[in-house]
Amino acid sequence: MSTSEQRQLRIDLAAAFRLAARADWHEGVANHFSAATSEDGKRFLINPRWKHFAMIRASDLLEVDASDPGTMARPDAPDPSAWSIHAALHRDVPQARVALHLHPPYATALAGLADPTIKPIDQVTARFFNRLGYDVDFGGIASEEAEGRRIAASFGNQSALMMGNHGVTTVAATVAEAFDAMYHLERAARTMVLAYGTGQPLAVMSDALAESTAAEWETYKGAEFAHFEEMKRLLDREDPTYRD
């Protein structure tokens, strides 16, 4: 990756942190995003330990190597759970060039149900039909290598994971795609929680309709990039310091 490409990647990832904070998807100084900088994906950018999402700048991001066992002995080592999850993702999940891990309100509420399934009850929830992994074997705060590897294995070939008793993670080739997936995943979870709150039966689509609706989302791929660019324009107008 060239210097200019890495610079742009840093800017995009910093923007995603700022936007997540604005959307109230963050949790204190926890949660973490990463983006691969090497061809094999093992070198990656990640947020520094316990820095608030709303304050993160492009220059703050750490570059670490998933194959370096000495990473956590560094004075600027990332958060242990960040290392556990993201090192495993960048080692073991080929589609995880970018990985966003969060505990956003609605998705986390849904992850706390006995059945955390996002059912196709509108076009946004249908986006994730047969396109969302489910991990229901929560093993505690992911501060150990084994838990990170288990989470990574739960992805299979999917690009989003509902993590039971935990939160959600999206992975993609670019920050824009991972961000758009997270945005719509949290909206889908919100729709589910609100629908459950009515106490009325859900009007679940047939499998055939849900699949055709999910497939139709793929024809709007360009909108994912436009969405992220528009959100960066808002940041540039209101607080461009994420680019520093």
Side-chain angles (χ1 to χ4, degrees), residues 109 113 118 224 226:
L113 300 182
I118 291 182
E224 298 179 21

Side-chain angles (χ1 to χ4, degrees), residues 22-171:
R22 288 181 175 222
D24 193 30
W25 297 341
H26 62 308
E27 187 169 79
V29 291
N31 297 173
H32 13 84
F33 297 172
S34 62
T37 57
S38 62
E39 187 174 349
D40 65 4
K42 292 182 180 179
R43 290 193 66 81
F44 60 94
L45 302 173
I46 197 162
N47 43 312
R49 183 192 301 225
W50 304 335
K51 189 173 183 69
H52 198 280
F53 277 23
M55 303 295 289
I56 289 178
R57 302 168 299 170
S59 60
D60 292 326
L61 299 172
L62 306 175
E63 187 174 20
V64 296
D65 189 331
S67 60
D68 179 6
T71 297
M72 291 308 294
R74 290 169 40 168
D76 63 343
D79 176 82
S81 63
W83 176 247
S84 169
I85 293 172
H86 291 260
L89 290 176
H90 288 288
R91 278 194 308 260
D92 303 336
V93 182
Q95 66 270 32
R97 294 294 298 179
V98 174
L100 309 185
H101 171 67
L102 289 167
H103 306 163
Y106 290 98
T108 304
L110 196 60
L113 300 182
D115 177 8
T117 309
I118 291 182
K119 297 175 172 60
I121 60 173
D122 79 324
Q123 63 187 26
V124 176
T125 50
R127 171 175 172 162
F128 297 97
F129 182 73
N130 285 340
R131 290 159 175 81
L132 179 63
Y134 291 89
D135 167 23
V136 295
D137 296 314
F138 178 66
I141 293 176
S143 57
E144 300 297 331
E145 182 178 350
E147 181 69 1
R149 286 191 176 277
R150 190 193 61 73
I151 290 169
S154 299
F155 266 91
N157 63 357
Q158 302 293 3
S159 58
L161 184 68
M162 178 68 71
M163 306 164 74
N165 305 115
H166 190 167
V168 288
T169 300
T170 61
V171 300

